[in-house]
Amino acid sequence: MSNASTAFVQPNDRGRNQVLWLEDLTRAEAEEFLDKRKALVGIHAPLRDKVLGRTTCRASQLNALCCNLDEPPPGASAADIVTAFVNEDRLDAFHNLRGLLEDTNTVDFERLMQAMIDNGGSVTTTQAWFVDMKTAAEEIRANQAIQLNVVTGVYSFNSAADAIAAEEELAVRRSRRAADAIAAAKEELAVRR
């Protein structure tokens, strides 16, 4: 591991060097990756949207998916493998999200995530003025639902799965609070009678 330019001075020796992506791929890069691996093509092409629209585009995870598609477990179809992949990523997203929402008391991540959702998936640190950037960065390191680019000062979801999980979890939390408020109002009304 070293600075980004060092990779370009290494000899092109496939026996000694392997290129590793450290950031998620863009949708176009992920499509190209799957094309090169001949994964989810032909009759399985519709499954790409299920993967790329709802999960991470991390090269290592897409590579694992491709390996599973290349050598599927006995009786498993491509659709089964994709469904398992999407479900696993979804569970990881909820685990990371709940880690931020439930295990931290110092940052209002619920408010931050709602601001990110309302703003198309990301907000600047200026827009998230209510969050202490240093404290948030420490909490984010332990739970990977959100990333903070300290150079650009932008909070964003790590993946589509994280954004979807945040929308669903925040909707559930709003519903619970509304139900609790209604129950409390009914109880207060009953006491007054």
Side-chain angles (χ1 to χ4, degrees):
M1 301 294 287
S2 59
N3 65 33
S5 61
T6 304
F8 297 103
V9 293
Q10 296 296 319
N12 188 14
D13 182 350
R14 291 179 186 233
R16 282 194 293 170
N17 302 320
Q18 181 178 4
V19 176
L20 301 174
W21 283 280
L22 298 179
E23 293 183 7
D24 284 6
L25 303 174
T26 65
R27 171 86 187 222
E29 290 168 336
E31 294 270 3
E32 181 181 354
F33 182 91
L34 293 173
D35 287 343
K36 286 181 180 180
R37 291 291 307 269
K38 296 180 177 49
L40 302 176
V41 295
I43 62 169
H44 300 299
L47 294 172
R48 280 191 179 195
D49 282 337
K50 190 172 182 182
V51 171
L52 301 179
R54 296 194 61 87
T55 67
T56 181
C57 286
R58 203 161 288 137
S60 59
Q61 287 181 289
L62 290 177
N63 187 58
L65 172 64
C66 292
C67 290
N68 286 335
L69 290 166
D70 289 343
E71 296 180 28
S77 68
D80 295 335
I81 293 168
V82 166
T83 299
F85 178 81
V86 170
N87 288 342
E88 184 177 333
D89 200 48
R90 178 181 165 89
L91 287 173
D92 287 346
F94 273 106
H95 174 75
N96 290 332
L97 178 79
R98 288 188 178 130
L100 284 174
L101 293 172
E102 296 170 4
D103 298 342
T104 60
N105 298 322
T106 54
V107 177
D108 189 352
F109 280 109
E110 186 169 341
R111 185 174 175 191
L112 175 61
M113 288 181 202
Q114 189 60 57
M116 291 165 57
I117 291 166
D118 293 345
N119 199 48
S122 64
V123 292
T124 64
T125 53
T126 305
Q127 292 168 308
W129 55 268
F130 51 89
V131 174
D132 177 65
M133 189 167 73
K134 183 178 180 199
T135 305
E138 291 169 6
E139 298 289 349
I140 288 170
R141 259 186 230 127
N143 299 287
Q144 301 173 5
I146 295 175
Q147 61 185 351
L148 168 60
N149 183 326
V150 293
V151 175
T152 61
V154 174
Y155 293 99
S156 60
F157 290 106
N158 259 342
S159 70
D162 294 312
I164 292 166
E167 285 186 53
E168 292 175 4
E169 181 67 19
L170 295 183
V172 166
R173 287 169 180 258
R174 281 192 301 274
S175 294
R176 281 188 197 142
R177 280 195 296 272
D180 290 347
I182 291 169
K186 285 181 180 179
E187 189 175 307
E188 185 178 323
L189 186 60
V191 169
R192 287 184 183 178
R193 288 187 180 166

